Amino acid sequence: MTDSDGTVPEGQDPEITLSWIRDYPGLIAYAPLPSSGRYPRDSRGRPRPRSARLRIADPGKPPRRPDGLLSESDWSWVIRSEHSWAGVNSRFGTDALRIMLELAESGCVTIGYTLNGNALAQPPRRVYPHPDLTAAEQQRRSRRRDDTSALRARAEQIASDIADDWPDVSRALRSTEHPDRLLWALRAVTDLAEGRTHDSLRAFVQSHANDTKARDDVHYLLAAMGFGHEALIALGVARNPYIGLGGPILLHTTDGSVLDLSAMPGPHDIRLSPHMLPRLTVTGPGDVLLVVENRQAAEAVCDARADLPVVWCHGQPPEAVVSMIGQAAQQTTAVVICADADLGGVRITARIHDKLPPETTIHVVDVGIVPHDEGRPFNTHSRNHLQQLAQRPDQVGAFAQRCLHRGYAIEQEATARAALQAVLNSHLPV
């Protein structure tokens, strides 16, 4: 050990270079100076070091990470702290010595040995990463911890916001620990909270990572975390979404086949391929198309009015479902939209409403028009978003205003059935 000017402090031994050890090209062997500043001595008072290390000749040269040698996780493990050789060997097996020597030649590590006479005893004893690399890794890990803490705080907040509308998603968000998984969950939940639906799985990934292949298994990842199928459909990441169809509808498949859906009570679950959508023909009077969020209400209509075309939209409809609703709407004069009277229902109504042909007569059903039980009160998140939707100068805005005025959600099956029946018995041409 020397001072900055190259001199050895008074009373301290100079560092010993073991110049006779030449078995490692590109590396030199030296005896590390003990913390006392003095080497052990033999009986004649000569320095007799008991350990040695291998390093590059110029220890002041900046370390350079070899390309393609280690994965990110292995690299982080190596540089975060010193390691026993047993630990290195356990991680890298028969490649351990080759990898460590290459890292030593790049200035990234120093390899420690016991001295056996004038030779290095095998195997090595320890590996010491370059202190600059260790400091950088500690800073990176500290930043990651801070980022993860901020991520968890944000996740807790939004989990509370969406607990009423998406209880399964809220639970999934709160139970996810791994930072990368939590990040994707938070991205998905933010989209749900804002009512954002993507056209496809790749569109979702592209919007968040600017690369369609950055996480092409995200639909499996979210499902494994506890996101229900309805949430995946609402996000637009579910593979091959479903549409429920019933009543006087012919389904023309891409291979030329024709299915008459009126032959059996609906709604029938049809799994769609966004790239090979079937064509619909409405064969009834063509006066009204019913688009219903609640399955039981859709079934009740199909049973009572087999002459009416019905679409059960499975919650927030992805683009493929919206496209087929638009097909059917072009063949009818009016569309009745019946969704739950809550934030999710208003968003579903808005998405369908805004995609219908301009000349369509639209009637939005508020299920609160019939006797019902009070549901859960809207939380702050739901109220804020309903207030934004209530600014719309159309039936969607009026629907949102009525939900706000009541102050609670209505999503009971019996209520939806009764509300639809009341509308069908009213002035509509059905």
Side-chain angles (χ1 to χ4, degrees), residues 56 64-66 69-70 75 78 98-109:
I56 57 172
R64 176 188 58 81
R65 178 181 175 179
L69 181 65
L70 294 176
W75 170 253
V78 167
R98 176 186 62 80
I99 290 172
M100 291 305 122
L101 287 174
E102 188 168 342
L103 289 174
E105 291 165 10
S106 300
C108 298
V109 303

Short mmCIF file of all heavy atoms in Angstrom, two decimals, residues 56 64-66 69-70 75 78 98-109:
data_model
loop_
_atom_site.label_atom_id
_atom_site.label_comp_id
_atom_site.label_asym_id
_atom_site.label_seq_id
_atom_site.Cartn_x
_atom_site.Cartn_y
_atom_site.Cartn_z
N ILE A 56 -5.29 -7.28 -12.59
CA ILE A 56 -4.62 -6.70 -13.76
C ILE A 56 -3.42 -5.89 -13.29
O ILE A 56 -3.32 -5.49 -12.13
CB ILE A 56 -5.59 -5.80 -14.56
CG1 ILE A 56 -6.17 -4.69 -13.67
CG2 ILE A 56 -6.69 -6.62 -15.20
CD1 ILE A 56 -7.00 -3.67 -14.45
N ARG A 64 -13.97 -3.08 -17.04
CA ARG A 64 -14.80 -3.17 -18.25
C ARG A 64 -15.53 -4.50 -18.23
O ARG A 64 -14.91 -5.56 -18.20
CB ARG A 64 -13.91 -3.07 -19.50
CG ARG A 64 -14.69 -3.25 -20.82
CD ARG A 64 -13.74 -3.32 -21.99
NE ARG A 64 -12.77 -4.41 -21.86
CZ ARG A 64 -13.04 -5.68 -22.15
NH1 ARG A 64 -14.25 -6.03 -22.56
NH2 ARG A 64 -12.09 -6.60 -22.01
N ARG A 65 -16.83 -4.45 -18.27
CA ARG A 65 -17.63 -5.68 -18.24
C ARG A 65 -17.49 -6.42 -19.56
O ARG A 65 -17.76 -5.85 -20.63
CB ARG A 65 -19.09 -5.35 -17.98
CG ARG A 65 -20.00 -6.58 -17.98
CD ARG A 65 -21.45 -6.21 -17.76
NE ARG A 65 -22.32 -7.37 -17.87
CZ ARG A 65 -23.64 -7.34 -17.70
NH1 ARG A 65 -24.23 -6.17 -17.42
NH2 ARG A 65 -24.36 -8.44 -17.82
N PRO A 66 -17.07 -7.68 -19.55
CA PRO A 66 -16.97 -8.44 -20.81
C PRO A 66 -18.35 -8.66 -21.44
O PRO A 66 -19.32 -8.97 -20.75
CB PRO A 66 -16.35 -9.78 -20.36
CG PRO A 66 -15.75 -9.51 -19.02
CD PRO A 66 -16.60 -8.46 -18.39
N LEU A 69 -20.68 -12.36 -21.29
CA LEU A 69 -20.15 -13.38 -20.38
C LEU A 69 -21.17 -13.79 -19.32
O LEU A 69 -21.30 -14.97 -19.01
CB LEU A 69 -18.87 -12.85 -19.70
CG LEU A 69 -18.19 -13.81 -18.72
CD1 LEU A 69 -17.66 -15.04 -19.47
CD2 LEU A 69 -17.06 -13.10 -17.97
N LEU A 70 -21.87 -12.80 -18.77
CA LEU A 70 -22.80 -13.07 -17.67
C LEU A 70 -24.17 -12.47 -17.95
O LEU A 70 -24.28 -11.42 -18.59
CB LEU A 70 -22.26 -12.47 -16.36
CG LEU A 70 -20.97 -13.06 -15.79
CD1 LEU A 70 -20.55 -12.27 -14.56
CD2 LEU A 70 -21.13 -14.52 -15.46
N TRP A 75 -24.29 -11.03 -13.17
CA TRP A 75 -23.40 -9.87 -13.06
C TRP A 75 -23.67 -9.11 -11.76
O TRP A 75 -22.74 -8.76 -11.03
CB TRP A 75 -23.59 -8.97 -14.28
CG TRP A 75 -22.91 -7.63 -14.18
CD1 TRP A 75 -23.50 -6.42 -13.99
CD2 TRP A 75 -21.50 -7.36 -14.30
NE1 TRP A 75 -22.57 -5.41 -13.95
CE2 TRP A 75 -21.33 -5.96 -14.15
CE3 TRP A 75 -20.38 -8.15 -14.50
CZ2 TRP A 75 -20.08 -5.34 -14.20
CZ3 TRP A 75 -19.13 -7.54 -14.56
CH2 TRP A 75 -18.98 -6.16 -14.41
N VAL A 78 -22.23 -11.03 -8.81
CA VAL A 78 -20.77 -11.00 -8.71
C VAL A 78 -20.29 -9.68 -8.12
O VAL A 78 -19.43 -9.66 -7.22
CB VAL A 78 -20.13 -11.23 -10.09
CG1 VAL A 78 -18.63 -10.89 -10.06
CG2 VAL A 78 -20.32 -12.67 -10.54
N ARG A 98 -12.95 -20.20 -15.21
CA ARG A 98 -12.84 -19.51 -16.51
C ARG A 98 -13.52 -18.14 -16.46
O ARG A 98 -12.96 -17.14 -16.91
CB ARG A 98 -13.49 -20.36 -17.61
CG ARG A 98 -13.52 -19.68 -18.98
CD ARG A 98 -14.30 -20.50 -19.99
NE ARG A 98 -15.70 -20.69 -19.63
CZ ARG A 98 -16.65 -19.76 -19.84
NH1 ARG A 98 -16.33 -18.60 -20.40
NH2 ARG A 98 -17.89 -20.03 -19.51
N ILE A 99 -14.70 -18.08 -15.88
CA ILE A 99 -15.44 -16.83 -15.81
C ILE A 99 -14.71 -15.81 -14.93
O ILE A 99 -14.54 -14.64 -15.30
CB ILE A 99 -16.86 -17.08 -15.29
CG1 ILE A 99 -17.68 -17.83 -16.33
CG2 ILE A 99 -17.55 -15.77 -14.91
CD1 ILE A 99 -19.03 -18.31 -15.83
N MET A 100 -14.22 -16.27 -13.78
CA MET A 100 -13.55 -15.34 -12.87
C MET A 100 -12.23 -14.83 -13.44
O MET A 100 -11.89 -13.66 -13.27
CB MET A 100 -13.33 -16.00 -11.50
CG MET A 100 -14.62 -16.24 -10.73
SD MET A 100 -15.61 -14.74 -10.51
CE MET A 100 -17.14 -15.24 -11.30
N LEU A 101 -11.51 -15.68 -14.15
CA LEU A 101 -10.26 -15.22 -14.77
C LEU A 101 -10.54 -14.18 -15.84
O LEU A 101 -9.82 -13.18 -15.97
CB LEU A 101 -9.49 -16.40 -15.35
CG LEU A 101 -8.82 -17.33 -14.34
CD1 LEU A 101 -8.22 -18.56 -15.03
CD2 LEU A 101 -7.74 -16.57 -13.55
N GLU A 102 -11.60 -14.38 -16.62
CA GLU A 102 -11.95 -13.40 -17.65
C GLU A 102 -12.39 -12.08 -17.01
O GLU A 102 -12.04 -11.00 -17.50
CB GLU A 102 -13.05 -13.94 -18.55
CG GLU A 102 -13.32 -13.06 -19.76
CD GLU A 102 -14.21 -13.71 -20.81
OE1 GLU A 102 -14.34 -14.96 -20.78
OE2 GLU A 102 -14.75 -12.98 -21.66
N LEU A 103 -13.12 -12.16 -15.92
CA LEU A 103 -13.51 -10.94 -15.22
C LEU A 103 -12.28 -10.24 -14.62
O LEU A 103 -12.19 -9.01 -14.62
CB LEU A 103 -14.51 -11.26 -14.11
CG LEU A 103 -15.92 -11.66 -14.55
CD1 LEU A 103 -16.74 -12.09 -13.35
CD2 LEU A 103 -16.61 -10.50 -15.28
N ALA A 104 -11.32 -11.04 -14.11
CA ALA A 104 -10.10 -10.45 -13.56
C ALA A 104 -9.30 -9.74 -14.64
O ALA A 104 -8.77 -8.64 -14.45
CB ALA A 104 -9.26 -11.53 -12.88
N GLU A 105 -9.22 -10.35 -15.83
CA GLU A 105 -8.47 -9.74 -16.94
C GLU A 105 -9.12 -8.45 -17.41
O GLU A 105 -8.46 -7.59 -18.02
CB GLU A 105 -8.38 -10.73 -18.10
CG GLU A 105 -7.49 -11.94 -17.81
CD GLU A 105 -7.71 -13.07 -18.81
OE1 GLU A 105 -8.39 -12.83 -19.84
OE2 GLU A 105 -7.22 -14.18 -18.55
N SER A 106 -10.42 -8.27 -17.14
CA SER A 106 -11.12 -7.05 -17.51
C SER A 106 -11.13 -6.02 -16.37
O SER A 106 -11.78 -4.98 -16.48
CB SER A 106 -12.57 -7.37 -17.90
OG SER A 106 -12.59 -8.26 -19.00
N GLY A 107 -10.47 -6.35 -15.28
CA GLY A 107 -10.38 -5.42 -14.16
C GLY A 107 -11.60 -5.40 -13.27
O GLY A 107 -11.73 -4.52 -12.41
N CYS A 108 -12.51 -6.37 -13.46
CA CYS A 108 -13.76 -6.36 -12.70
C CYS A 108 -13.64 -7.01 -11.33
O CYS A 108 -14.37 -6.64 -10.40
CB CYS A 108 -14.86 -7.07 -13.50
SG CYS A 108 -15.24 -6.27 -15.07
N VAL A 109 -12.75 -7.99 -11.20
CA VAL A 109 -12.58 -8.68 -9.92
C VAL A 109 -11.10 -8.94 -9.67
O VAL A 109 -10.27 -8.90 -10.58
CB VAL A 109 -13.34 -10.03 -9.87
CG1 VAL A 109 -14.82 -9.83 -10.14
CG2 VAL A 109 -12.74 -11.04 -10.83
#
